[in-house]
Amino acid sequence: MSTSAADREPGIALDNAKEEISGPICTGESSKHDSALCSGNSEIKSRAVVKYSAAPPPTSYALLQEKTDLKLPPANWLRENPQLGSAGTTVLGSSSKSKPFSSFGMAYDFIDCIGDDVDVVSDSENIKKLLKIPYSKSHVSMAVHRVGRTLLLDELDIQELFMRSSQTGDWTWLKEFYQRLIDQKWQRKKKSKEHWYQKAILSKFLYYSINGDGAAEPVPDNLNEGEEENEAEEFSSSWPTTFTSTPSDTEESAAPKQESVSVDSQFALGQVTSVPKEQNLPTLFNEGENSQGLRNDFVRNIMWTFEDIHMLVGSNMPIFGGGRYPAVSLRLRDNNKPINILTGIDYWLDNLMCNVPELVMCFHVNGIVQKYEMIKTEDIPHLENSTFSTRVVKDIAQNILSFLKSNCTKEGHTYWLFKASGSDFVKLYDLTTLCEEAEEEKCQNPFTLPVAVLLYKVASNLMLKVRQNRKHYGTVRTLLLNCVKLLDQERHPQIIASAAYMLSELFQLDEPPEEDGGESLRAGGSEDSYSDEDREEEEEEDDEELTDDSDENGSYSNCSIPQDDSKAVAVIRSVGELSVPEKYKSTHLIRPSCAFPISQDKEERCRHVLSYVLKGLKAVDGSIKKESDLPAADPNTPIPLKYEDRNAVGGCAAEKGISLLLERVGPLQADQKHPTRSGMIPGSWQHRMKLQLFLKASKAYYVLSDAATNLLKYGRALRYIKLSLQCYDSYCSVSGTLHPQVLQFHSQCLSLCGDIQLMLAQNANNRAAYLEEYSYQTKEDQEILHSLHRESSCQAFNMATDLAMDPEYQLFVSCKCYEAAYELLVSEALKDDSSDQLAQVLKRLGNIRNEMGVFYMNQAAAMQTEKEVNKSVSVAEQEMWKKSFSFFEKGMKDFEAIRDSTNTALLLCNTGRLMRICAQAHCAVSADQSRGEFSPEEALYYNKAIDYYLRAMKSLASRENHPAVWDSVNWELSTTYFTLATLLQDYAPLSRKAQEQIEREVTEAMMKSLKYCDLQTESARQPLYQYRAATIHHRLASMYHSCFRNQVGDEHLRKQHRSLAELHYSKAVCLFLSLKDAPCELLRTLLERVAFAEFTMAGQSSSTAKLKSLTGALEIMTETRHAFQLIHKELLEEQTELSELGPAESAGSPDVATGPTAGLNLQEVIKLIGVFEPSFSFLLLQLIKLMTTIKRKPSNKDEELLKTYKNVYSKLLRAEKNAPLLSRFELYIELLQQLTPQAGGDNTGTHS
């Protein structure tokens, strides 16, 4: 005997049979013991593991002396023991008596096994009765329930049911159906005196075997109480029935085992309240005497694997020590009656289930003990007169299980397996369907509530595994839907609310559903049934012959076949079929294919969640009785989601709204002690459930809002985030303290709300569409809102979620939402674990402050455009600058806090632009409305802008970090330098500064602008940079040209200016030549350069020097041919477009004249021609004069040149002054073309 087992307290659940202990395996030890029993050539696999045992280790049975009279009662007979509960009072009765809910008691205790691991849960007596069907004439009546792939079997005592129905009026429909279809005459047979006599001596025999042969001796009063408990507990037999049931029995049954604690009390989020914990089982299932059946009263619970069938079995068979083995079963037999096949199967199965290796048989004659005989369990099938095939018993088991699994497909339904006494037919009825078809208004099914609670508990247990393994999704959903379908909301709101919440939890809102290769989670399928895919219809009309094994029982009495079998779900036409191997296919091996409709559409998933949340809220609200104190609201009347047009935003009103917004931010420290607005008591199940449902709804609406934002449906997004925040507001009204995770989620909601308001501000042109989206409401949303209003006014976040018509106000609200989110994240509760989210919020905060800075900057620019020319800077304008500058500065701090150098650079760049707008506003205007001198204020602001741009460059460090931003800042910096230099040059502050100083400043600014002109990098801006660089060189050349003309005295300085002018003119020409769209600028630069050459010539005295200068000037003039060709090309294109349009269209289109030549300034072209013609004629005339008056003898080449010059000059003079532009350009190109080879071949030119 095992000492460790002996020390174990009776009534303690074993740890899933994991600990290995030697000794007897059926009395509290959890060692696994496999037995393979052989019968002839066939081997039957059987394995039993004790999951729980209330019995102490077995003591040796007392070997009674021969001639002991069992008719005399032993001293301890009928001794009640409190440890045994109701079992202590059981003495006489039918050995097959089972409690109607015994399988449910076991299922509650071993919830982990239910639904997947176990095929059958039942009393061992029911299992034996099923396996003896082909051998026995007796009737069978059992209730069958399906949970997942597990079947629960319980005896259904029809006579007792009908006795109750005559008192209560229930079940009359079944009584009529039973009498009409099944067995019109069958009544329960009264037990004979012989039956009760046999039971009495059996009981006395067992008590003698516990107590020794103390016969009629009275038991001493000082008997050790512990020994008495140990001995009496050996007889926890399943044979007797209950004589009485005292109140104390029921009280003691509350929780017999550790494992009976409801799994859902440990459920992941701790939200689903434990039903048995809140209301213990006897009160919850108030079904009179039947309530006792919900307890697991078996002495031991065994996990029995018979071949490939896994069964959780309850057994009360007394087990003793002694004999060749440490465990034996004890039986009493009348020596005059041989053992029949039914008794043999009974003994064999009992020993298999309890893993007892030996049977001890005590034979008696008329109650007088004769002898003992020991039989090994594997020898029982071969006893004389009771020989049976173990292989046939195995086939019967597999066939019955397959039959039941194939036909009991609907979860939550009560099926009735019935075989009439002496009948060959076994029928299966769906009592739930029959009940629904009955005409009675109220048909009660006592199994409904236990089944519903079991479904709920199995689902709760599986929910713990759902996160790890998505294959459970479909099963959990099916379990919960069937649970809710069975229950009445008014009577069981707590289970319904919990189930609804768990259903909503199945739909993952924060992640997209993964594609599982092995499972189709989106397949169709009934929500309340399981399909066995390989099910085959093999129920044949013809009776089959019984096998040899089943014939041993002799012939059955043939009952007449009922005329109407239409009510039966399925029928076994002959019990002989059960003995045929695989007559019914082993469909029980196939797992249920529970379809779970996961949609890829996020919105659809959220709608599922919200529908379940609404069901849960309705269940909770219905259970709160304090209806009179609630605000009267019609759930069919929509609650308007109003919008306000806030074009004139009152600062006070806005600030008040913000203070309301921030009231909900931060943890609430004080726990609530008073009832909530709807009358809920804090801490009650309603309170806890509502908290979870409100939070779930808030999350679902948040996901919907996020999805709508991604689809650019900003009106819809704002409506959803409003609903989300209203759910959160109600959550806060009900909750005493806010968990950090809840605060973090709230921060996300506020952040999303800020995003939406920002998008609305940026897309003002779609406001009508957004308003329509925002105003729409579904009936579901209305009902959820009404439930929210039971707890809260839902006004706290109105300011943040109203649809305003003013973009400035929307930006303001967006900014405040981000600020509130930021305050939450840096609060005490969250500051340690929200770094990623904080970075996101700071980025958004920096962005919205940039947007607001840009908004006010644009406002200031608009004011500047609209104001009168000579007006000074207005106060309103300065206010805009200050606001804009303040937002830019705050935004920079936000980006610097998260080390975002790129965005910091962008804000510095925007601040630089603001400084330029300030500079433009300070532009001086003279009395005659013309532009005045460049003012010191302008210089100040332009220099500030340059500082900000340089800081932006420094922030980026190098172009590689962010090329686009780098290029943008580079361009702005170059532009600012260029603008500063241009204004200094064009509107020189000569009243304040000397000419030389201004020239130095212009040169410095121009060179810096040139430094930032990126001519090398190929980009969209490259032509712009080239144009700017060319313009800078042109302006510098013009400035040095002017200095050269005006400079008097200092010859060294004149030479310097001359060479600089030449250098910049040549660079400008090169750059303009590379551009295809600046012919006017090229022409102007070349003409200025010719004028510069002419001015140089004017200061020369010798004819040779003058000739050289003039030749050089003419060479420069010939380069204008390229410019004229470009202008000519543009004019041709314009003419072609005009001819394509036709005369009527061109006359009616005022833009035609300017349209095609929008890039070509015709007035500028005409003005330049006015300069070109006289300059060209002058050059030619001077050359002809010089060449004809020169003293040296002309060479042939000179004569040719002179001839050409004269020819060109004559054509130029004869040209028609009023000729069309095109023909004039053609003439210029032709004349210049004539001069090009000659000028090009003369090496005396000075082209540099």
Side-chain angles (χ1 to χ4, degrees):
M1 189 186 300
S2 164
T3 53
S4 61
D7 295 336
R8 187 188 301 281
E9 271 187 44
I12 302 301
L14 302 177
D15 184 21
N16 291 327
K18 293 279 171 73
E19 106 191 78
E20 296 288 337
I21 303 171
S22 59
I25 47 79
C26 47
T27 56
E29 287 80 70
S30 55
S31 58
K32 294 180 180 178
H33 182 76
D34 296 357
S35 63
L37 301 175
C38 298
S39 174
N41 296 325
S42 62
E43 183 184 86
I44 298 297
K45 294 173 189 168
S46 173
R47 179 184 180 186
V49 178
V50 179
K51 301 285 281 182
Y52 162 82
S53 175
T59 53
S60 294
Y61 64 92
L63 198 64
L64 303 184
Q65 291 181 2
E66 203 175 326
K67 307 297 183 188
T68 300
D69 189 352
L70 296 177
K71 294 191 289 296
L72 298 174
N76 62 344
W77 196 46
L78 300 187
R79 178 73 61 88
E80 182 181 344
N81 191 310
Q83 285 290 327
L84 294 174
S86 58
T89 60
T90 60
V91 181
L92 305 169
S94 163
S95 63
S96 61
K97 177 67 179 170
S98 292
K99 290 182 179 176
F101 299 104
S102 60
S103 69
F104 288 89
M106 281 191 284
Y108 293 153
D109 286 350
F110 299 100
I111 205 79
D112 265 341
C113 308
I114 308 304
D116 194 42
D117 299 338
V118 173
D119 295 298
V120 177
V121 179
S122 187
D123 182 346
S124 60
E125 298 300 319
N126 294 333
I127 303 285
K128 291 191 290 182
K129 190 175 283 190
L130 283 178
L131 298 188
K132 291 189 291 186
I133 283 177
Y135 303 97
S136 168
K137 294 180 183 180
S138 61
H139 84 284
V140 174
S141 174
M142 286 187 199
V144 185
H145 296 91
R146 181 167 196 152
V147 178
R149 66 180 286 262
T150 301
L151 296 176
L152 280 75
L153 305 179
D154 293 279
E155 183 177 7
L156 187 62
D157 192 330
I158 291 292
Q159 296 301 312
E160 188 180 324
L161 205 64
F162 293 164
M163 282 195 295
R164 282 186 61 196
S165 78
S166 60
Q167 297 165 4
T168 62
D170 300 333
W171 293 91
T172 52
W173 60 273
L174 182 60
K175 192 172 186 178
E176 288 169 10
F177 168 76
Y178 178 80
Q179 289 174 340
R180 185 173 74 252
L181 280 185
I182 296 168
D183 198 344
Q184 295 174 5
K185 300 174 183 176
W186 184 71
Q187 297 290 328
R188 185 201 294 261
K189 293 177 183 175
K190 289 185 178 179
K191 303 288 184 186
S192 62
K193 285 184 181 178
E194 173 65 19
H195 171 83
W196 294 114
Y197 164 74
Q198 291 296 339
K199 291 297 170 193
I201 64 165
L202 169 64
S203 172
K204 291 169 189 172
F205 166 67
L206 289 170
Y207 273 95
Y208 271 121
S209 300
I210 292 168
N211 200 38
D213 55 352
E217 292 293 324
V219 179
D221 291 335
N222 62 351
L223 176 71
N224 181 285
E225 195 177 327
E227 283 178 22
E228 182 182 344
E229 285 173 16
N230 285 350
E231 289 170 354
E233 202 158 8
E234 282 308 322
F235 180 60
S236 312
S237 137
S238 62
W239 285 280
T241 187
T242 305
F243 267 174
T244 58
S245 174
T246 61
S248 64
D249 297 337
T250 311
E251 288 161 20
E252 286 166 12
S253 71
K257 300 165 186 61
Q258 294 292 322
E259 285 188 27
S260 68
V261 176
S262 173
V263 175
D264 46 59
S265 63
Q266 308 157 9
F267 179 52
L269 294 173
Q271 84 299 344
V272 182
T273 47
S274 161
V275 178
K277 204 172 173 184
E278 292 285 318
Q279 313 159 283
N280 62 31
L281 290 177
T283 29
L284 182 65
F285 310 129
N286 189 13
E287 297 285 344
E289 289 179 358
N290 289 344
S291 63
Q292 295 173 52
L294 290 163
R295 294 158 44 194
N296 183 356
D297 279 340
F298 294 105
V299 172
R300 64 188 66 79
N301 300 129
I302 299 153
M303 189 64 75
W304 182 41
T305 304
F306 183 58
E307 285 293 306
D308 55 353
I309 305 169
H310 305 287
M311 293 179 258
L312 180 62
V313 176
S315 170
N316 289 323
M317 183 176 78
I319 296 173
F320 296 86
R324 290 168 295 179
Y325 294 95
V328 297
S329 59
L330 208 54
R331 303 286 179 170
L332 183 67
R333 290 298 304 168
D334 189 331
N335 211 10
N336 296 326
K337 295 177 183 176
I339 297 173
N340 63 24
I341 192 169
L342 296 174
T343 310
I345 292 174
D346 213 60
Y347 292 173
W348 181 67
L349 288 174
D350 264 333
N351 275 19
L352 277 191
M353 287 184 215
C354 296
N355 228 353
V356 176
E358 197 165 30
L359 166 69
V360 175
M361 200 104 73
C362 175
F363 290 94
H364 73 97
V365 175
N366 295 327
I368 307 298
V369 174
Q370 300 295 312
K371 62 173 180 175
Y372 279 87
E373 187 178 327
M374 303 190 89
I375 305 161
K376 288 182 181 179
T377 300
E378 58 263 36
D379 295 336
I380 295 173
H382 311 296
L383 292 176
E384 192 180 348
N385 297 323
S386 93
T387 307
F388 60 90
S389 164
T390 57
R391 179 61 63 184
V392 170
V393 175
K394 182 266 295 182
D395 290 336
I396 293 167
Q398 288 176 335
N399 279 324
I400 288 175
L401 183 62
S402 298
F403 173 76
L404 291 175
K405 287 222 168 181
S406 299
N407 296 293
C408 302
T409 55
K410 293 185 178 178
E411 210 164 34
H413 281 225
T414 299
Y415 290 91
W416 179 30
L417 186 73
F418 181 77
K419 173 181 155 320
S421 181
S423 169
D424 216 18
F425 288 78
V426 183
K427 299 178 186 178
L428 185 71
Y429 296 93
D430 183 346
L431 291 189
T432 306
T433 307
L434 290 174
C435 179
E436 288 166 0
E437 292 170 359
E439 293 176 4
E440 291 177 49
E441 287 183 13
K442 191 180 178 186
C443 297
Q444 288 295 321
N445 178 351
F447 287 100
T448 301
L449 185 58
V451 171
V453 173
L454 180 60
L455 294 173
Y456 171 78
K457 287 164 75 72
V458 173
S460 301
N461 187 49
L462 278 178
M463 279 297 281
L464 297 168
K465 305 171 186 173
V466 155
R467 295 281 178 189
Q468 288 81 36
N469 194 341
R470 294 175 63 249
K471 75 174 184 181
H472 298 301
Y473 275 41
T475 306
V476 172
R477 178 174 177 272
T478 306
L479 290 165
L480 291 171
L481 287 173
N482 290 324
C483 167
V484 171
K485 204 183 287 183
L486 291 172
L487 295 173
D488 176 9
Q489 184 166 308
E490 288 184 14
R491 293 178 63 194
H492 307 289
Q494 185 178 359
I495 305 177
I496 287 177
S498 298
Y501 176 74
M502 279 197 276
L503 280 164
S504 75
E505 275 289 287
L506 287 176
F507 293 87
Q508 296 300 306
L509 296 177
D510 48 357
E511 58 188 30
E514 298 164 13
E515 289 295 331
D516 280 355
E519 297 173 83
S520 171
L521 291 174
R522 289 177 289 146
S526 166
E527 64 187 21
D528 62 351
S529 65
Y530 296 88
S531 60
D532 288 316
E533 293 141 22
D534 294 341
R535 181 176 165 188
E536 293 180 13
E537 301 292 337
E538 287 198 22
E539 288 151 8
E540 299 170 10
E541 292 291 329
D542 304 327
D543 289 342
E544 294 196 8
E545 294 180 9
L546 296 177
T547 59
D548 293 340
D549 288 308
S550 60
D551 254 335
E552 292 173 12
N553 198 37
S555 60
Y556 292 117
S557 59
N558 290 321
C559 292
S560 61
I561 299 172
Q563 296 172 353
D564 186 6
D565 276 340
S566 61
K567 298 287 184 185
V569 174
V571 179
I572 297 174
R573 296 287 174 186
S574 166
V575 290
E577 291 180 358
L578 295 174
S579 305
V580 179
E582 295 190 12
K583 171 67 179 174
Y584 297 92
K585 295 293 182 185
S586 301
T587 53
H588 63 279
L589 295 176
I590 299 163
R591 296 293 189 268
S593 61
C594 311
F596 182 61
I598 292 181
S599 170
Q600 295 286 10
D601 181 15
K602 210 177 259 188
E603 187 163 351
E604 195 180 327
R605 294 213 303 275
C606 291
R607 280 286 157 208
H608 279 303
V609 168
L610 290 169
S611 69
Y612 290 127
V613 166
L614 180 57
K615 281 178 188 169
L617 287 172
K618 281 180 175 176
V620 176
D621 289 339
S623 71
I624 302 167
K625 303 299 179 191
K626 203 175 174 186
E627 301 285 349
S628 57
D629 296 348
L630 296 176
D634 177 10
N636 296 317
T637 307
I639 297 171
L641 288 166
K642 60 183 177 182
Y643 70 92
E644 295 177 34
D645 190 352
R646 290 191 170 105
N647 285 319
V649 182
C652 295
E655 287 305 325
K656 188 178 177 187
I658 284 301
S659 65
L660 273 172
L661 174 72
L662 295 178
E663 271 179 20
R664 300 288 171 166
V665 173
L668 306 170
Q669 295 304 326
D671 281 332
Q672 289 185 316
K673 293 191 176 135
H674 305 294
T676 65
R677 185 174 172 178
S678 67
M680 278 194 313
I681 309 300
S684 64
W685 72 265
Q686 288 103 329
H687 181 254
R688 293 197 297 273
M689 185 54 64
K690 260 204 176 175
L691 279 176
Q692 297 298 333
L693 291 169
F694 283 163
L695 192 58
K696 191 73 183 176
S698 185
K699 286 179 178 175
Y701 281 125
Y702 169 83
V703 174
L704 281 171
S705 180
D706 189 43
T709 306
N710 294 334
L711 293 171
L712 314 183
K713 302 282 186 184
Y714 301 121
R716 189 196 302 175
L718 187 62
R719 169 163 56 91
Y720 284 139
I721 202 68
K722 182 182 185 88
L723 287 162
S724 177
L725 287 166
Q726 284 175 322
C727 293
Y728 181 79
D729 188 15
S730 297
Y731 179 90
C732 293
S733 300
V734 175
S735 175
T737 52
L738 298 181
H739 191 272
Q741 285 180 346
V742 176
L743 291 173
Q744 207 159 2
F745 166 68
H746 181 43
S747 162
Q748 289 174 342
C749 286
L750 290 170
S751 186
L752 180 59
C753 188
D755 291 350
I756 295 162
Q757 291 284 13
L758 171 58
M759 291 296 107
L760 286 167
Q762 289 178 345
N763 294 274
N765 51 337
N766 289 337
R767 192 160 284 137
Y770 296 148
L771 178 57
E772 190 180 337
E773 290 172 10
Y774 181 72
S775 307
Y776 175 78
Q777 240 187 330
T778 65
K779 189 170 188 296
E780 201 171 66
D781 294 340
Q782 289 170 26
E783 289 182 349
I784 288 174
L785 260 177
H786 280 289
S787 184
L788 298 178
H789 279 116
R790 292 169 69 95
E791 304 299 346
S792 163
S793 62
C794 301
Q795 299 296 310
F797 301 102
N798 271 7
M799 174 261 176
T801 54
D802 283 343
L803 180 60
M805 295 288 107
D806 174 27
E808 180 184 354
Y809 183 75
Q810 287 172 326
L811 288 171
F812 170 75
V813 169
S814 176
C815 187
K816 289 298 176 185
C817 285
Y818 292 138
E819 284 174 8
Y822 173 74
E823 284 185 37
L824 256 181
L825 293 174
V826 295
S827 64
E828 280 296 316
L830 294 182
K831 65 180 181 183
D832 296 330
D833 50 16
S834 61
S835 56
D836 292 344
Q837 210 175 329
L838 185 62
Q840 288 295 320
V841 170
L842 276 170
K843 197 164 194 171
R844 284 173 157 81
L845 204 47
N847 181 52
I848 189 64
R849 284 169 171 164
N850 176 50
E851 289 288 339
M852 294 193 78
V854 169
F855 177 82
Y856 289 121
M857 179 168 70
N858 291 340
Q859 294 277 89
M863 283 181 183
Q864 191 177 305
T865 310
E866 290 162 12
K867 76 174 181 182
E868 293 172 25
V869 180
N870 58 354
K871 243 188 171 181
S872 60
V873 179
S874 66
V875 177
E877 218 175 330
Q878 288 179 331
E879 278 301 310
M880 292 296 168
W881 295 343
K882 285 178 185 173
K883 281 184 179 177
S884 180
F885 184 73
S886 167
F887 279 116
F888 284 143
E889 277 214 312
K890 287 177 182 172
M892 278 185 264
K893 284 178 184 169
D894 294 331
F895 287 127
E896 281 165 4
I898 56 173
R899 293 184 173 83
D900 189 339
S901 59
T902 307
N903 280 314
T904 306
L906 278 172
L907 263 80
L908 285 162
C909 196
N910 280 339
T911 314
R913 186 175 154 224
L914 176 67
M915 294 298 114
R916 282 160 63 191
I917 288 171
C918 294
Q920 289 160 17
H922 285 92
C923 160
V925 180
S926 61
D928 62 349
Q929 303 293 312
S930 62
R931 172 76 165 83
E933 287 186 350
F934 186 64
S935 66
E937 289 84 2
E938 282 181 277
L940 173 72
Y941 282 114
Y942 275 120
N943 283 313
K944 278 188 175 180
I946 287 165
D947 285 343
Y948 281 112
Y949 289 132
L950 288 170
R951 278 176 61 190
M953 298 286 275
K954 191 177 177 184
S955 173
L956 287 170
S958 70
R959 187 174 185 273
E960 286 71 34
N961 291 338
H962 205 297
V965 178
W966 175 274
D967 291 345
S968 178
V969 175
N970 202 58
W971 170 256
E972 295 294 341
L973 185 54
S974 173
T975 304
T976 310
Y977 275 125
F978 179 71
T979 308
L980 176 64
T982 307
L983 290 170
L984 262 174
Q985 190 175 11
D986 295 347
Y987 308 102
L990 293 168
S991 61
R992 294 183 286 111
K993 295 183 180 179
Q995 177 74 33
E996 291 80 8
Q997 188 186 348
I998 292 168
E999 286 169 5
R1000 275 200 306 275
E1001 287 178 9
V1002 168
T1003 306
E1004 187 184 346
M1006 286 291 189
M1007 295 311 288
K1008 282 183 176 172
S1009 178
L1010 199 56
K1011 175 187 170 186
Y1012 292 106
C1013 283
D1014 185 0
L1015 301 173
Q1016 310 308 319
T1017 308
E1018 285 189 14
S1019 67
R1021 282 202 183 96
Q1022 194 179 23
L1024 296 174
Y1025 276 128
Q1026 287 174 333
Y1027 182 82
R1028 176 168 292 163
T1031 308
I1032 289 169
H1033 284 301
H1034 176 216
R1035 277 184 164 270
L1036 285 171
S1038 298
M1039 188 180 77
Y1040 289 128
H1041 182 176
S1042 173
C1043 293
F1044 178 66
R1045 291 170 74 102
N1046 300 328
Q1047 186 74 36
V1048 181
D1050 191 341
E1051 196 58 38
H1052 173 71
L1053 202 56
R1054 274 174 64 82
K1055 279 185 179 178
Q1056 193 179 351
H1057 284 156
R1058 180 185 166 181
S1059 63
L1060 283 170
E1062 278 291 342
L1063 173 69
H1064 286 298
Y1065 273 133
S1066 64
K1067 286 189 176 178
V1069 169
C1070 284
L1071 286 163
F1072 279 133
L1073 277 168
S1074 67
L1075 292 164
K1076 303 294 181 192
D1077 54 355
C1080 292
E1081 288 82 351
L1082 175 58
L1083 188 55
R1084 178 183 294 280
T1085 309
L1086 288 166
L1087 290 174
E1088 279 187 28
R1089 197 174 178 190
V1090 168
F1092 182 65
E1094 287 173 359
F1095 179 73
T1096 309
M1097 180 199 74
Q1100 292 169 335
S1101 52
S1102 72
S1103 298
T1104 312
K1106 279 187 175 182
L1107 183 62
K1108 190 177 179 183
S1109 295
L1110 282 168
T1111 311
L1114 187 63
E1115 190 179 335
I1116 292 165
M1117 189 62 89
T1118 56
E1119 289 182 15
T1120 59
R1121 184 171 60 91
H1122 182 68
F1124 283 126
Q1125 282 173 335
L1126 290 173
I1127 295 168
H1128 180 259
K1129 187 182 174 187
E1130 288 198 35
L1131 288 170
L1132 266 176
E1133 285 172 1
E1134 175 192 349
Q1135 199 173 48
T1136 310
E1137 284 186 33
L1138 281 170
S1139 61
E1140 282 175 2
L1141 283 169
E1145 290 180 44
S1146 61
S1149 176
D1151 293 331
V1152 165
T1154 56
T1157 54
L1160 191 66
N1161 189 337
L1162 283 176
Q1163 289 180 342
E1164 177 78 3
V1165 169
I1166 292 164
K1167 193 191 289 184
L1168 289 170
I1169 289 172
V1171 176
F1172 169 77
E1173 281 187 352
S1175 180
F1176 193 22
S1177 347
F1178 172 76
L1179 276 177
L1180 288 168
L1181 182 61
Q1182 292 300 316
L1183 272 168
I1184 292 166
K1185 278 182 181 179
L1186 264 175
M1187 289 180 83
T1188 50
T1189 57
I1190 200 160
K1191 290 178 179 178
R1192 68 181 170 85
K1193 187 184 177 183
S1195 64
N1196 291 337
K1197 192 177 179 184
D1198 290 341
E1199 285 178 1
E1200 281 293 320
L1201 271 175
L1202 183 59
K1203 188 180 175 183
T1204 306
Y1205 293 154
K1206 284 178 179 177
N1207 183 27
V1208 171
Y1209 184 61
S1210 69
K1211 282 184 180 177
L1212 192 60
L1213 286 176
R1214 284 198 298 272
E1216 181 64 48
K1217 299 298 177 191
N1218 296 322
L1221 274 179
L1222 266 174
S1223 55
R1224 288 169 76 181
F1225 282 133
E1226 284 166 2
L1227 175 66
Y1228 300 152
I1229 292 165
E1230 183 192 334
L1231 296 176
L1232 291 167
Q1233 182 67 44
Q1234 287 179 29
L1235 293 172
T1236 302
Q1238 284 81 3
D1242 195 303
N1243 292 326
T1244 58
T1246 57
H1247 175 51
S1248 60

